[in-house]
Amino acid sequence: MNICAPQLAELPPSCGFAVPTPRRQRVLAVGVIGPGRVGSALLEQLRAAQPRLARDSGLELKLCGVVASKRMWLDCDDAELNGRHGGAQIWRPNDLDAFAEHVRGNDGRHALLIDCSANDDVAAHYPRWLAAGLHVVTPNKLAGSGPLARWQAIRAACASGARFRYEATVCAGLPVVQTLRDLLDTGDALLAVEGMFSGTLAWLCNRHDGRQPFSALVREAHALGYTEPDPRDDLSGLDVARKLVILAREAGWPLSLEDVDLQGLVPSALAALSLDDFMQRLDELDAPMAAKLAEAHADGGVLRHVAHLDRHGHASVRLIVLPATHAFAHTRLTDNIVQFTTRRYCDNPLSVQGPGAGPEVTAAGVFTDLLRIAESLEARA
């Protein structure tokens, strides 16, 4: 018996020979606030990705403007803005409301603002921008960990259909917030969060083995650019507390910074000094840190700076001794690590680990949020 193949023209579309339908182009107008280290890295990533996204995903990213601390550049003033935002010939005084209106336009286009400023005044604009239909993406922790009423206003403003994403506020480019969101959205229940959220403090703990004074390590980290310009911003643990608050709120717990039991590494006598005076007296940290290290060695453990949130909403950030078998004892360099204990992941917590600092990985986390929003957009004529 002979079986003849049908003519290609007679094949049903399910056989894979259907003529492809041209992809409709989606346009996303983008405005960037804060062209600092992270913002500049993001602009470079956006510029490099534009041709590929347009070709492979049908997504056109249109950079409409950049806002710095005192000035802004708009594409209507400089058609080559995307290629030279820092050297644009025409600039205007900073005006966030006018900037947002320019990015949104009046043609019904999709528009998104990216805030890389770490500025509380900028975060205060989020509810109004979202309510007006502008999507907002940010690595700025001040929105998610600031006043609870403002956080609630931000979430309420999303009822307009605008999206607010902030993956890079916790552990830079690591998928921490999204992992927690996925767990909750699929019906899991969060029981506890524990993590090392500071790359700086992770590096200091990894290097603090007694062979050098702790102050020498802080000075080295400062010289390498691992710390903030004022190392007390890292040593205080406040930044870690902010990240813990963000995760708690993501899980639906109305936690605020003042609810966190925060034990920093800077004694009160050094906290109020000028930066120069603090750096000169940095060796006053050596004795207490040496004592903590001796305690850890006596117990056969290691020192780690850990944030913890339990099922009752109790939150703490402090330097603790962990057994040498603990997962946090084996982190490398500036690694961040987060463990989620949930109803499903109860006996063996779900871990997310990797580099949690640096402008490139932070910018990549912001870019990922932008793409997640873009995936949901419809093509508009």
Side-chain angles (χ1 to χ4, degrees):
M1 180 173 65
N2 295 323
I3 301 177
C4 298
Q7 297 294 318
L8 290 180
E10 299 173 350
L11 286 173
S14 60
C15 291
F17 287 93
V19 176
T21 302
R23 185 194 300 269
R24 293 189 65 191
Q25 195 81 358
R26 293 164 297 148
V27 179
L28 179 59
V30 177
V32 176
I33 302 167
R37 294 175 65 210
V38 173
S40 294
L42 175 65
L43 287 166
E44 291 295 332
Q45 291 177 11
L46 293 176
R47 178 163 49 240
Q50 278 178 322
R52 176 181 54 79
L53 290 173
R55 182 184 68 247
D56 299 343
S57 303
L59 173 63
E60 178 186 347
L61 296 179
K62 177 177 173 56
L63 181 64
C64 295
V66 178
V67 175
S69 59
K70 295 181 180 179
R71 61 183 67 181
M72 63 184 183
W73 297 266
L74 304 179
D75 62 334
C76 61
D77 297 327
D78 191 338
E80 302 299 324
L81 176 69
N82 191 63
R84 59 166 192 261
H85 77 272
Q89 298 301 311
I90 301 175
W91 60 269
R92 307 180 184 212
N94 182 335
D95 185 332
L96 288 176
D97 289 329
F99 180 76
E101 285 299 313
H102 175 74
V103 175
R104 186 174 66 166
N106 56 10
D107 54 1
R109 63 189 177 188
H110 299 293
L112 181 147
L113 296 176
I114 301 174
D115 172 25
C116 298
S117 70
N119 185 299
D120 195 62
D121 290 337
V122 177
H125 286 72
Y126 293 179
R128 185 160 66 253
W129 290 341
L130 290 162
L134 284 154
H135 306 292
V136 176
V137 171
T138 186
N140 185 350
K141 291 179 281 292
L142 300 179
S145 64
L148 184 60
R150 184 172 69 191
W151 171 249
Q152 292 168 337
I154 289 172
R155 300 306 291 260
C158 293
S160 69
R163 305 278 296 280
F164 175 56
R165 297 193 64 93
Y166 42 95
E167 180 64 73
T169 59
V170 182
C171 303
L174 297 182
V176 174
V177 176
Q178 186 61 47
T179 297
L180 176 57
R181 185 74 265 152
D182 289 343
L183 290 170
L184 299 174
D185 286 348
T186 57
D188 207 346
L190 183 66
L191 304 180
V193 178
E194 189 171 49
M196 294 170 57
F197 294 153
S198 168
T200 302
L201 290 167
W203 186 88
L204 289 170
C205 287
N206 281 323
R207 292 290 306 280
H208 185 41
D209 56 9
R211 288 183 287 185
Q212 297 183 73
F214 186 73
S215 59
L217 294 173
V218 174
R219 289 191 174 94
E220 182 181 351
H222 188 254
L224 291 170
Y226 289 167
T227 73
E228 294 295 326
D230 187 337
R232 287 173 293 187
D233 292 341
D234 300 291
L235 299 173
S236 71
L238 180 60
D239 189 63
V240 172
R242 289 190 181 280
K243 296 172 185 178
L244 191 62
V245 168
I246 290 169
L247 292 181
R249 290 178 177 178
E250 187 67 29
W253 293 334
L255 196 72
S256 294
L257 273 177
E258 52 269 24
D259 300 322
V260 180
D261 178 10
L262 174 58
Q263 298 181 18
L265 304 185
V266 181
S268 57
L270 302 183
L273 297 177
S274 68
L275 175 58
D276 288 342
D277 289 343
F278 169 71
M279 295 302 291
Q280 289 179 4
R281 295 175 56 179
L282 198 57
D283 57 357
E284 293 181 28
L285 298 178
D286 292 341
M289 290 300 297
K292 292 179 183 296
L293 183 63
E295 176 189 348
H297 287 170
D299 291 342
V302 296
L303 275 180
R304 292 293 183 263
H305 190 268
V306 175
H308 183 81
L309 177 71
D310 68 20
R311 70 182 68 196
H312 305 294
H314 300 149
S316 65
V317 173
R318 64 185 69 181
L319 193 68
I320 63 174
V321 176
L322 292 175
T325 56
H326 195 284
F328 294 0
H330 306 289
T331 55
R332 299 179 61 253
L333 301 175
T334 60
D335 269 5
N336 282 186
I337 182 170
V338 185
Q339 288 189 337
F340 294 113
T341 302
T342 70
R343 189 178 64 244
R344 294 180 191 143
Y345 295 92
C346 185
D347 297 328
N348 187 17
L350 175 63
S351 295
V352 180
Q353 180 177 351
E360 294 291 337
V361 293
T362 303
V366 174
F367 199 172
T368 299
D369 275 346
L370 179 155
L371 293 177
R372 285 185 179 274
I373 291 175
E375 286 171 359
S376 68
L377 303 180
E378 297 178 355
R380 291 178 178 174

